[in-house]
Amino acid sequence: MNYGEVKSHFEALLNRSDNTSALTTTFIDQGIRRITRQLRSAMNEKVQVITLSSQTASLTLPSDFIELISLYYKDRELIRLPNAQFRTYADNPVRGKPHHFTRQQEAIFIHPQPSDGELTLYYYGDFDALSADSDSNALSATAPDLLIYSALTYAADYYLDERATLFEQKFQTFLTEIQEQANDQELNGSTQQIAPAYRYEED
């Protein structure tokens, strides 16, 4: 569904003469934010590739960042460390191929500090914004029912609607179905292996 279709379906299900277009937009925006906080699936996966041309100690996270999935330098996945453990590395800012990273607020710090190559950041991010009625994003196209019932839960709170429990149950059902499907996709299609406890690599 596009944004206009989502709004029309939402208003038909809500079926209230005292609802306004402005409130419909507000409820849908609130619904999207709720889904963004809870859902972790391919629908809200993002990739950012950073090309390096000078020694780099840190990078700024994208403005739509929600949660980190993984960080790669070339074909090597970097190991995340707690801030306290990373502090000893930060005090020794050597140049080289990075092995470790940590997150501090809106920045990722890496060690050693690379001066060339590419860093690839995989993360969960915000859904693309919906503005015009013809707009669509991964959520409205793939799971419009989840979006609509998420919006309906906020509308029910606003109007003290007796259908609040029904709307919430529907939302939770759709969310569970989609999350389980996403989890299954992560496990299917590849051979599961036990990773070795230690790995030795050449720099």
Side-chain angles (χ1 to χ4, degrees), residues 39 52 111 132 136 152 161 171 186:
L39 183 64
L52 307 175
H111 186 277
S136 64
L152 285 169
D161 194 299
F171 168 76
E186 289 297 309

Side-chain angles (χ1 to χ4, degrees), residues 99-145:
H99 287 263
H100 304 97
F101 76 95
T102 195
R103 185 177 72 83
Q104 297 178 15
Q105 295 182 331
E106 298 179 354
I108 293 284
F109 290 84
I110 50 182
H111 186 277
Q113 299 173 4
S115 56
D116 59 12
E118 291 182 343
L119 285 166
T120 304
L121 176 68
Y122 293 89
Y123 66 100
Y124 293 109
D126 292 330
F127 294 102
D128 294 340
L130 298 172
S131 180
D133 283 351
S134 58
D135 290 347
S136 64
N137 60 19
L139 181 60
S140 68
T142 306
D145 47 3

Side-chain angles (χ1 to χ4, degrees), residues 76-189:
R76 169 189 291 164
E77 183 173 10
L78 276 61
I79 299 170
R80 183 173 185 171
L81 297 177
N83 284 327
Q85 189 175 349
F86 189 85
R87 190 174 298 276
T88 58
Y89 293 103
D91 292 338
N92 182 29
V94 299
R95 177 176 174 176
K97 295 179 181 179
H99 287 263
H100 304 97
F101 76 95
T102 195
R103 185 177 72 83
Q104 297 178 15
Q105 295 182 331
E106 298 179 354
I108 293 284
F109 290 84
I110 50 182
H111 186 277
Q113 299 173 4
S115 56
D116 59 12
E118 291 182 343
L119 285 166
T120 304
L121 176 68
Y122 293 89
Y123 66 100
Y124 293 109
D126 292 330
F127 294 102
D128 294 340
L130 298 172
S131 180
D133 283 351
S134 58
D135 290 347
S136 64
N137 60 19
L139 181 60
S140 68
T142 306
D145 47 3
L146 176 66
L147 172 53
I148 290 166
Y149 275 92
S150 183
L152 285 169
T153 64
Y154 286 96
D157 287 345
Y158 181 85
Y159 290 115
L160 301 178
D161 194 299
E162 62 184 11
R163 297 169 294 173
T165 299
L166 173 63
F167 291 156
E168 179 65 24
Q169 289 173 345
K170 286 276 193 179
F171 168 76
Q172 292 294 340
T173 296
F174 293 137
L175 179 67
T176 299
E177 288 175 353
I178 294 168
Q179 189 63 70
E180 288 180 350
Q181 182 183 49
N183 295 342
D184 288 344
Q185 288 173 349
E186 289 297 309
L187 296 175
N188 293 335

